[in-house]
Amino acid sequence: MIYDVLILGAGPAGLSAAIYAGRNKQSVLLIEQGQDGGQISVTDAIENYPGQMLEGENGFTLSQRMAEQAKRFGAQRVSDTIREAKLDGEVKELVGASGTYRGRTLIIAAGASHRSLGIPSEAALAGHGISYCATCDAGFFRGRDVYVAGGGDSAVQEALFLTRFARKVTLIHRRDALRAVPALQEKAFANEKLHFLWNSVVTDAGGDGKLQWLTIRNTKSGETTKIEAKPEDGFFGLFVFLGVVPATDLFKGKLDLEDGYIVTDENMHTHIPGVFAAGDIRKKKLRQVVTAAADGGIAAMEAYEYIRG
Ligand code: NAP
């Protein structure tokens, strides 16, 4: 089958595109390899998305509601990992591990994934003390010490969330000023359980099957310090929020990329007719749910116009 609209990625951009394309009565196939919602599926409160003040709502429940809305408008779904993208023909083709998908238009909304610390033991300790998801793993560190690497919105927001579980949360940031927005900074500095290690980066981590020590290098003095878990605790947690890396490997050499992000015009067109990009994967300034949702809506309307000729 050749769909009117193929959408790669079921985060806020892809789900919004599916809602709009579905309302346009187009056939839509939404392809996602993981969990709906992308980055927001592991985010606690989403304070700045309009209307987002429902009791008990978090990023996961919000993305579930978006997915339900897309389903209601007829979007079909497939779970697959795309290995190759063929963009040049009139029919766009995505080749996945389990199948090949064809569309008259393609909206790329594959988003971005977390940046790693880049230390040797990171992979071995992931899930054993090193985590990239506070809402998933905070409970394992109840009453213990927790460290958070990063200084942006994610690091500060998730550090605040972690204070509800941990005895003490220490944010490790490479500079002496946070990147996070002022509203989050205000909350962070007012929180007695949240502490700061400025001008510092994590250089190594280790332990016996769980995270028991970290080394931190001071970016100003070059001095290295070892932090060890309290003997009575046995281990501690390190949550990594160092920003994101766009998921554009598939499109290298095929689409215009800048700093790894897909370049589009303001209406989400890439340089290839019928191929659009929306959300965090796109070169733009403000990467938030509200801009991802807007991108998705615009991309779907442009795809509709493209098909109508
Ligand atoms: P970000 O804004 O890019 O911040 C990344 C942080 O990690 C920065 O503080 C950066 O330091 C630090 N960092 C990057 N690479 C590093 C390295 N190799 N070693 C040590 N530190 C490193 O990423 P984010 O916080 O994940 O946010 C991503 C996007 O999502 C942003 O647009 C953000 O506004 C948005 N977001 C919004 C909300 C919200 O509005 N509620 C919540 C979460 C995320 P420097 O500061 O020195 O560069």
Side-chain angles (χ1 to χ4, degrees):
M1 162 157 186
I2 300 175
Y3 290 88
D4 291 327
V5 189
L6 287 184
I7 302 174
L8 182 60
L15 291 169
S16 299
I19 292 166
Y20 274 72
R23 285 189 81 238
N24 287 337
K25 297 292 173 200
Q26 294 182 295
S27 56
V28 177
L29 182 68
L30 187 57
I31 306 161
E32 170 61 57
Q33 62 177 355
Q35 183 160 281
D36 285 354
Q39 291 172 68
I40 67 159
S41 67
V42 293
T43 302
D44 178 31
I46 311 240
E47 285 183 340
N48 48 0
Y49 187 59
Q52 199 46 34
M53 301 296 279
L54 288 186
E55 189 66 35
E57 184 91 295
N58 56 30
F60 177 71
T61 55
L62 173 64
S63 43
Q64 279 185 317
R65 287 199 292 124
M66 290 179 181
E68 187 53 42
Q69 205 173 343
K71 191 171 153 199
R72 219 177 281 171
F73 286 114
Q76 291 184 38
R77 305 289 311 254
V78 68
S79 172
D80 202 353
T81 300
I82 300 304
R83 302 266 161 82
E84 195 188 347
K86 297 179 185 170
L87 308 180
D88 288 328
E90 207 158 295
V91 173
K92 317 299 171 195
E93 213 169 274
L94 295 177
V95 182
S98 328
T100 296
Y101 314 100
R102 294 180 185 85
R104 295 160 78 193
T105 61
L106 167 66
I107 299 175
I108 303 166
S113 54
H114 65 78
R115 177 176 287 120
S116 306
L117 277 169
I119 59 172
S121 52
E122 188 165 2
L125 286 167
H128 301 279
I130 295 184
S131 170
Y132 308 87
C133 174
T135 50
C136 316
D137 297 332
F140 296 123
F141 304 98
R142 207 176 281 278
R144 290 189 157 78
D145 291 339
V146 157
Y147 294 83
V148 173
D153 286 343
S154 301
V156 174
Q157 183 167 309
E158 303 307 312
L160 284 165
F161 174 73
L162 285 160
T163 60
R164 296 192 221 155
F165 299 81
R167 171 172 55 215
K168 178 181 167 192
V169 177
T170 305
L171 195 131
I172 303 166
H173 183 36
R174 66 180 173 185
R175 294 186 291 127
D176 61 0
L178 296 173
R179 178 178 291 279
V181 291
L184 282 172
Q185 292 201 27
E186 198 175 279
K187 281 188 192 170
F189 294 134
N191 190 310
E192 285 179 359
K193 283 171 100 178
L194 190 48
H195 301 255
F196 299 87
L197 262 177
W198 301 112
N199 300 314
S200 300
V201 289
V202 178
T203 49
D204 204 359
D208 186 11
K210 47 199 166 188
L211 182 62
Q212 291 168 321
W213 58 265
L214 291 177
T215 53
I216 309 288
R217 182 171 53 81
N218 186 297
T219 54
K220 288 257 158 88
S221 66
E223 192 186 332
T224 295
T225 315
K226 189 169 186 179
I227 299 172
E228 289 180 272
K230 292 190 172 66
E232 62 272 25
D233 289 349
F235 65 96
F236 54 56
L238 171 63
F239 287 79
V240 181
F241 297 106
L242 299 180
V244 293
V245 183
T248 47
D249 282 355
L250 273 178
F251 306 106
K252 282 182 184 153
K254 296 183 177 176
L255 292 176
D256 292 337
L257 302 182
E258 217 177 291
D259 302 329
Y261 292 92
I262 298 174
V263 178
T264 68
D265 67 10
E266 63 177 358
N267 288 320
M268 314 302 144
H269 293 247
T270 68
H271 80 275
I272 300 181
V275 178
F276 306 84
D280 282 10
I281 200 162
R282 189 170 82 82
K283 171 88 183 165
K284 61 176 181 178
K285 211 166 162 194
L286 187 66
R287 292 197 176 83
Q288 308 260 306
V289 184
V290 71
T291 58
D295 285 3
I298 294 168
M301 294 312 290
E302 292 295 309
Y304 181 59
E305 290 295 324
Y306 172 83
I307 288 175
R308 288 200 331 165

